[in-house]
Amino acid sequence: MTNIFEESRPGRLGVQLPPTRTEAPAGIPKEALRAELPWPELSEPQVVRHFVRLSRMNHAIDVGFYPLGSCTMKYNPKINEEMARLAGFAWLHPLQPEETVQGALQLMWELEQDLAELTGMDQVSLQPAAGAQGEQTGILMIKAYHQSRGDLERTEVLIPDAAHGTNPATASLAGFEVVEVKSDQRGGVDLTELRAKLGPKTAAVMLTNPSTLGIFEDNIVEIARLTHEAGGLLYYDGANLNAILGKCRPGDTGFDVVHVNLHKTFSTPHGGGGPGSGPVGVKAHLAPFLPGPTVGRDGDRFHLVPGGPQSIGQVRSFYGNFGMHLRAYTYIRSLGRDGLTEVAEDAVLNANYLLHLVKDLMSVPYERLAKHEFVVGLPRAIKDRTGVRTLDVAKRLLDFGIHSPTVYFPLIVEEAMMIEPTETESKETLDAFAAVLAQVLEEAVTDPELVKTAPHTTPVRRLDEARAARQPILRYRP
Ligand SMILES: *Cc1c(COP(=O)(O)O)cnc(C)c1O
């Protein structure tokens, strides 16, 4: 494949740049300056083709099915982008005087209210830039809460064995010891284990509900009671909020603090597609510890409110990713109360329909009503007979234009595949996915090499994933 550096020809122009300044502005250290900047010289169509070509080398939700469990890769409605491009929003500067950004502040204030309402919390901060940072913010607030009461012996955070890796990482980064709580036979928190591990050292219990197995924790009210009785607080990992939107509020089931992943439940772009956003919500007893600034309201005037004397301090520059607040707000307002409830209903319906289609193909560790996602495993008979593994099946799906589901998570399910279709997929897409999965499992038996060497049709084949993540090659080198 050609690349733009090799296509470059001296003097070829795509854009007229203003005359260059001859001297660098003062204050830039010498070692940061270079005499030459060998930019490729190209016409506009060459540049456009280059970037369109690159975009076609990736899979995206705008291209095809993306059932990546836990991550809620739902379609992001284009009206979100239209709103984000309105000049009055797009050209805002974070240092503008408050009286010139009243509309933006009102939007943030209303989003805070909406998220508080949807999660059953008393106050929200929009600051954290991801779910993981929301976790960190929440756990630091819990720590500050115990310290403010002189309750200094609480050194442990209890986390179920099905949890996402960020939960234990968050707890240990905040200086806590992680205590694992086993799941029971039905995939819920084992109450006997929980009782045994709760105690005067418990600072918090972190839960995802529905869990990463896609199962609603039906003992949640009892878990909250036990946690509070032991003097701990209950943290809600909101990654799976999509399943219960408008149906059940974490605040009503006893949670003290939540984070919400706007890029999952509220249709803002993920990762490479845009910055994340992980607002936190708290019950009143944790409100003094919230990071500032939040947004306050005086009649019809809005202003930024700095954190109070007990605040854990600012966790991100300014007030978080405003562009994401704007998109999430658009999503909430364009769907409304009934629309959001329908989101949860359709997400759950799609997941259960797809589970029904694949349950005879894969092994099903927990035969229960799924919420928005479900976990299955590659049947042991296939693995033993052919050596094909879940990873191979995942890679082969790429040849059919389908992004793989999440694999090998949660850790407690052997050869796990976690499938989350989301509410935005049609019945035809789900039927087609099940048919492709059936075909790949058939191939695993009749032609295992085909599956083990997949993908065959993608721009790159199997990568060394650890190296690709840790030593990415981000520059062209001739
Ligand atoms: C995605 C996810 C997280 C982390 O959220 P980010 O926004 O990716 O930082 C935490 N817990 C669960 C269950 C998740 O799925």
Side-chain angles (χ1 to χ4, degrees), residues 139 183 204 238 295 339 401 411:
I139 290 297
S183 300
V295 185
L411 306 175

Side-chain angles (χ1 to χ4, degrees), residues 57-192:
M57 292 167 78
N58 255 336
H59 191 77
I61 186 72
D62 287 354
V63 172
F65 192 36
Y66 207 138
L68 190 69
S70 210
C71 295
T72 313
M73 301 298 292
K74 63 167 76 178
Y75 174 73
N76 299 166
K78 295 297 168 250
I79 189 174
N80 298 354
E81 298 305 317
E82 263 179 65
M83 294 304 110
R85 276 160 182 67
L86 289 177
F89 288 128
W91 292 99
L92 287 179
H93 192 281
L95 294 176
Q96 251 173 272
E98 267 173 26
E99 61 276 16
T100 67
V101 291
Q102 284 295 306
L105 291 176
Q106 179 174 356
L107 183 146
M108 288 169 64
W109 186 84
E110 289 184 16
L111 180 61
E112 287 178 5
Q113 306 298 310
D114 288 351
L115 294 176
E117 171 70 21
L118 284 163
T119 56
M121 292 286 147
D122 295 319
Q123 215 182 318
V124 166
S125 164
L126 301 175
Q127 250 193 27
Q133 204 191 9
E135 288 176 35
Q136 183 198 31
T137 305
I139 290 297
L140 288 177
M141 285 192 283
I142 288 174
K143 190 175 189 175
Y145 169 84
H146 290 308
Q147 281 174 350
S148 76
R149 294 155 47 96
D151 196 354
L152 305 175
E153 304 300 313
R154 299 191 177 272
T155 52
E156 296 178 349
V157 173
L158 275 53
I159 301 176
D161 56 4
H164 194 266
T166 49
N167 294 181
T170 295
S172 40
L173 267 177
F176 290 105
E177 229 168 282
V178 174
V179 177
E180 188 177 272
V181 182
K182 295 250 173 311
S183 300
D184 65 16
Q185 294 283 312
R186 300 175 64 242
V189 172
D190 187 319
L191 287 186
T192 313

Side-chain angles (χ1 to χ4, degrees), residues 70-71 130-132 135 164 166-167 208 212 237 239 259 261 263-264:
S70 210
C71 295
E135 288 176 35
H164 194 266
T166 49
N167 294 181
T208 310
T212 54
D237 176 332
H259 83 251
N261 309 62
H263 45 287
K264 294 182 182 174

